[in-house]
Amino acid sequence: MPTSTVQGSFHDDGQPTRLSVVMAVLNEADNILPVCQELAETFGADSSIEILAIDDGSTDATVKKLLEARQTLLPRLRIISHPKRLGKSAALRTGITAANGQWIATIDGDGQDDPSAILTMLERATSTQGAPPLVVGVRRKRNDRLSRRIATRFANGLRRRLLNDGCPDTGAPLKLFPRDLFLKIPQFEGVHRFLPALLGHYGAPLICIEVQHRARLHGSSKYTNFNRALVGIRDLLGVMWLQNRTHLPDHLTEH
């Protein structure tokens, strides 16, 4: 598969933006400030890292809290809003398209993810020889309800068997990958759960790192096990079709 050249934009001071942390949020007003506090503690002093929050049409005070976080915690926080709910994958693509970073890291806005793991993931990615990889933060111990853990285990097993993607936790929120490679793959709602298969088809090696998974700070998941299952099966069939119909050269020769 052809390799991807990782390129990024620059800050006003001429320094390249090494990493863009993209966080899709929906009705997370109660979680925004503590999550942004932790992001500030982890990344705030590094001018080569930017943080983008994409609000996917929240109906609570999420945007207000994001603005408060930018004023008090994260002066360089970039905030982008959808006019209505379009789905997590659409929010992530909005952020990744707007990002300046050479690398993209995704994180949820509910406080379950430890952002310090992103630094370990970035170090692994940048020290890897060959094609730029996809790094997945595999949740070592899920801090969710038993029914959700069972449903996730079943979904991951089915995806891994049918797509042969080699990833034990494809729905893990913490992922790190080259921006330009992500923008080559088709957009559909649910694409973030299939990145190991899709980016692997474009030549990205997979690296899995165990990460801590914490209890949600406030609120509840925006998805039920039932609707995840129905949509997931449809998307799985679509990804299998894409893999079958996407033909890429092993290498290119320019004459």
Side-chain angles (χ1 to χ4, degrees):
M1 296 299 171
T3 59
S4 169
T5 301
V6 182
Q7 296 178 334
S9 298
F10 290 77
H11 286 293
D12 291 339
D13 60 6
Q15 296 300 312
T17 304
R18 187 167 55 117
L19 171 69
S20 297
V21 180
V22 178
M23 177 175 65
V25 292
L26 171 66
N27 293 336
E28 298 286 6
D30 292 336
N31 296 321
I32 290 300
L33 292 180
V35 168
C36 285
Q37 174 69 47
E38 194 168 21
L39 289 170
E41 292 170 355
T42 305
F43 305 114
D46 192 336
S47 63
S48 71
I49 298 176
E50 67 174 358
I51 300 172
L52 297 90
I54 314 304
D55 174 65
D56 188 33
S58 293
T59 56
D60 65 358
T62 292
V63 173
K64 179 181 178 181
K65 292 295 183 180
L66 285 169
L67 291 169
E68 181 181 340
R70 182 166 66 187
Q71 184 172 2
T72 61
L73 299 169
L74 273 172
R76 291 184 289 110
L77 176 65
R78 297 175 60 191
I79 304 167
I80 303 173
S81 295
H82 286 171
K84 62 180 181 179
R85 183 177 181 179
L86 299 176
K88 182 176 180 178
S89 290
L92 290 175
R93 191 171 188 91
T94 292
I96 293 165
T97 301
N100 295 312
Q102 301 170 321
W103 294 91
I104 300 294
T106 61
I107 188 171
D108 278 355
D110 54 15
Q112 289 193 276
D113 303 318
D114 180 358
S116 66
I118 292 174
L119 297 175
T120 301
M121 295 165 72
L122 181 63
E123 193 280 329
R124 282 291 302 274
T126 54
S127 64
T128 299
Q129 300 297 315
L134 162 67
V135 185
V136 176
V138 175
R139 293 165 285 192
R140 180 170 58 246
K141 183 178 179 182
R142 290 291 299 270
N143 207 317
D144 286 318
R145 299 187 309 272
L146 177 61
S147 60
R148 186 166 182 188
R149 294 201 304 269
I150 292 172
T152 300
R153 189 175 304 152
F154 171 78
N156 278 323
L158 183 62
R159 289 189 194 109
R160 188 166 42 182
R161 179 179 295 271
L162 295 180
L163 298 178
N164 193 29
D165 60 16
C167 184
D169 190 7
T170 58
L174 284 174
K175 295 186 177 76
L176 186 139
F177 45 85
R179 175 182 178 272
D180 63 338
L181 189 58
F182 175 89
L183 294 176
K184 291 181 179 180
I185 64 177
Q187 165 63 16
F188 60 91
E189 184 51 35
V191 69
H192 61 279
R193 293 193 294 270
F194 296 95
L195 291 187
L198 292 169
L199 295 185
H201 202 66
Y202 279 79
L206 174 66
I207 297 174
C208 293
I209 294 177
E210 285 194 349
V211 297
Q212 179 185 9
H213 189 248
R214 306 177 295 200
R216 183 181 245 279
L217 292 176
H218 302 282
S220 58
S221 172
K222 309 303 184 295
Y223 307 97
T224 66
N225 292 333
F226 181 70
N227 65 28
R228 276 180 184 270
L230 288 181
V231 173
I233 291 172
R234 181 191 65 189
D235 291 344
L236 179 58
L237 295 174
V239 172
M240 292 172 67
W241 181 88
L242 279 173
Q243 285 185 314
N244 186 55
R245 300 298 295 170
T246 302
H247 304 291
L248 299 169
D250 292 332
H251 65 276
L252 300 174
T253 302
E254 182 175 351
H255 301 279

